[in-house]
């Protein structure tokens, strides 16, 4: 029954204008972890540069439902589409995948005068570890440098491959030239998870190597995009992927021995850059070396001057707010005078005032009030008295 169904589909595709030599191609089967995301590249012929492209869901072409289009809508729910007319690739991105998203999909180019052109793929979403996956689908390298991609898979099975999208492939155990770049593949077993890893190293990168590739294991593929830039003083000539925390594992010692000599000992994500141990550093000038210490010294002096100015200002304000001493003794003020009346209680008015001849002498001292407060008499002050003799 299956051969007859396949024959009917081939005839149907032929009648609708789709042949085995269609000008649109993509991967055939990808495996994605639940909650993860996937980027599906769809390569098309140059003659379709200005055509509308779209993604469609369904096993059969005629019965599939359009999800996104490059004209409208470019985004629908968890799915989006973008078109790179320079690389002749449009990509369909799906995020937050769930098992219900497992299905067949199509990459299609719309043609006005004839039937649309496209290619089909299968997406399988699994709650566990995918059968084939990579840490990152987008990598970055520099001209003349190298890049290493780690492809993980659960079983050994058939030999792994590294393929250029729309081009040739290089198999495990073989080293060869791929798109003008030297490629080496090493397959090793991981001790902890008992899985396998395929190390793909591309060295001698050129700008022309920018594009889509994929790891292949059996019927599964995992697309990876590599971008090659011009080197800078801060970029490394070697880039490699880094395993996430959920999939970190130790490789056997054989993996270390089999690692290509072009791989840098530094490991980084694609968004980070590291300096290769062999990179020549440009000597710094004396001004660059002393710039930081001099800057700190200038800042310290400025802080000190501001602090001193604030202290002086605070001191002047405090002295200004203090009330002046207004108690000033006038130079010509009236001296303190004590007036007294002395009465002689014995004898007559004609008697003399000699106390020795007339007996006791009594006096009454009455201080005279002044407008200002009197101070206590001190030694050396003069006391004036009026002495009057009273008749007995």
């Amino acid at each position: 029954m299956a051969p007859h169904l396949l024959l009917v589909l081939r005839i149907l595709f032929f009648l609708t204008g789709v042949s085995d030599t269609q000008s649109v191609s993509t991967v055939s089967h990808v495996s994605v972890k639940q909650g993860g995301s996937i980027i599906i590249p769809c390569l098309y012929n140059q003659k379709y540069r200005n055509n509308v492209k779209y993604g469609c869901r369904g096993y059969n072409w005629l019965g599939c439902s359009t999800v996104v289009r490059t004209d409208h809508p470019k985004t629908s729910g968890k799915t989006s589409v973008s078109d790179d007319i320079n690389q002749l690739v449009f990509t369909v991105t799906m995020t937050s995948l769930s098992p219900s998203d497992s299905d067949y999909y199509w990459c299609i180019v719309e043609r006005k005068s004839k039937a649309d052109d496209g290619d089909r793929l299968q997406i399988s979403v699994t709650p566990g570890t995918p059968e084939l996956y990579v840490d990152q689908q987008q990598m970055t390298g520099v001209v003349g440098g190298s890049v290493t991609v780690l492809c993980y898979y659960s079983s050994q099975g058939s030999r792994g491959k590294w393929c250029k999208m729309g081009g040739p492939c290089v198999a495990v155990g073989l080293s060869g030239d791929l798109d003008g770049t030297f490629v080496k593949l090493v397959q090793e077993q991981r001790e902890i998870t008992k899985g396998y890893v395929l190390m793909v190293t591309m060295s001698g990168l050129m700008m022309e190597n920018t594009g889509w590739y994929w790891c292949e294991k059996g019927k599964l593929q995992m697309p990876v995009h590599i971008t090659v830039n011009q080197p800078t003083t801060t970029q490394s000539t070697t880039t490699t992927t880094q395993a996430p925390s959920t999939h970190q594992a130790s490789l056997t010692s054989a993996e270390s021995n089999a690692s290509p000599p072009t791989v840098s000992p530094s490991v980084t994500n694609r968004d980070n850059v590291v300096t290769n141990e062999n990179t020549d550093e440009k000597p710094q000038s004396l001004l660059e070396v002393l710039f930081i210490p001099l800057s700190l010294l200038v800042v310290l002096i400025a802080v000190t001057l501001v602090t001193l100015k604030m202290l002086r200002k605070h001191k002047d304000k405090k002295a200004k707010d203090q009330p002046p001493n207004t108690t000033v003794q006038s130079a010509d003020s009236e001296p303190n005078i004590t007036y007294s009346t002395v009465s002689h209680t014995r004898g007559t008015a004609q008697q003399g005032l000699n106390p020795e001849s007339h007996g006791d002498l009594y006096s009454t001292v009455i201080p005279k009030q002044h407008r200002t407060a009197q101070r206590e008499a001190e030694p050396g002050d003069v006391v004036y008295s009026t002495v009057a003799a009273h008749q007995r």
Side-chain angles (χ1 to χ4, degrees), residues 111-164:
R111 298 189 297 184
K112 296 181 179 179
S113 59
K114 57 181 68 176
D116 296 343
D117 194 358
D119 193 15
R120 189 181 68 180
L121 72 145
Q122 181 181 359
I123 298 178
S124 299
V125 182
T126 174
T129 302
E131 297 182 38
L132 175 64
Y133 66 93
V134 294
D135 299 327
Q136 303 172 35
Q137 279 193 267
Q138 295 179 318
M139 301 286 296
T140 303
V142 296
V143 174
S146 61
V147 63
T148 299
V149 181
L150 303 181
C151 305
Y152 303 92
Y153 48 94
S154 56
S155 59
Q156 187 171 5
S158 59
R159 293 194 305 172
K161 295 181 181 180
W162 177 253
C163 303
K164 169 76 173 182

Side-chain angles (χ1 to χ4, degrees), residues 247-322:
H247 299 299
Q248 285 186 351
S250 300
L251 300 179
T252 60
S253 58
E255 176 183 349
S256 301
N257 297 332
S259 299
T262 56
V263 179
S264 170
S266 300
V267 180
T268 179
N269 289 328
R270 66 181 178 89
D271 294 329
N272 299 331
V273 291
V274 297
T275 302
N276 198 329
E277 294 180 353
N278 297 327
T279 303
D280 295 332
E281 297 182 356
K282 183 179 180 179
Q284 295 180 332
S285 64
L286 180 61
L287 181 61
E288 293 176 345
V289 174
L290 297 179
F291 178 75
I292 294 179
L294 290 177
S295 300
L296 294 177
L297 180 60
V298 171
V299 172
L300 180 60
I301 294 175
V303 172
T304 303
L305 292 177
V306 172
T307 303
L308 291 177
K309 186 175 181 180
M310 292 180 64
L311 291 176
R312 181 176 296 177
K313 184 177 181 181
H314 178 71
K315 184 177 179 180
D316 294 343
K317 183 178 179 181
K318 184 176 181 182
K320 183 178 180 180
D321 294 340
Q322 184 175 359

Side-chain angles (χ1 to χ4, degrees), residues 122-246:
Q122 181 181 359
I123 298 178
S124 299
V125 182
T126 174
T129 302
E131 297 182 38
L132 175 64
Y133 66 93
V134 294
D135 299 327
Q136 303 172 35
Q137 279 193 267
Q138 295 179 318
M139 301 286 296
T140 303
V142 296
V143 174
S146 61
V147 63
T148 299
V149 181
L150 303 181
C151 305
Y152 303 92
Y153 48 94
S154 56
S155 59
Q156 187 171 5
S158 59
R159 293 194 305 172
K161 295 181 181 180
W162 177 253
C163 303
K164 169 76 173 182
M165 192 169 186
C169 299
V170 176
V172 171
L174 301 176
S175 298
D177 187 76
L178 182 62
D179 201 16
T181 300
F182 180 78
V183 179
K184 183 176 181 179
L185 279 69
V186 177
Q187 178 176 287
E188 297 293 342
Q189 183 178 6
R190 295 182 294 170
E191 293 181 347
I192 297 179
T193 61
K194 303 302 180 183
Y196 296 86
V197 59
L198 176 63
M199 298 180 60
V200 180
T201 302
M202 298 179 63
S203 56
L205 294 174
M206 301 179 297
M207 294 293 293
E208 295 77 10
N209 298 136
T210 297
W212 282 96
Y213 300 79
W214 70 63
C215 290
E216 181 175 323
K217 185 66 176 178
K219 296 181 179 180
L220 293 171
Q221 296 92 32
M222 178 53 63
V224 177
H225 186 266
I226 295 179
T227 303
V228 182
N229 299 318
Q230 291 292 341
T232 62
T233 56
T234 58
Q235 282 183 313
S236 170
T237 58
T238 301
T239 307
T240 181
T241 59
Q242 181 181 4
S245 57
T246 56

Side-chain angles (χ1 to χ4, degrees), residues 352-369:
L353 297 178
N354 187 355
E356 294 181 358
S357 60
H358 296 283
D360 297 332
L361 182 65
Y362 298 91
S363 67
T364 301
V365 179
I366 302 175
K368 185 178 180 180
Q369 299 294 332

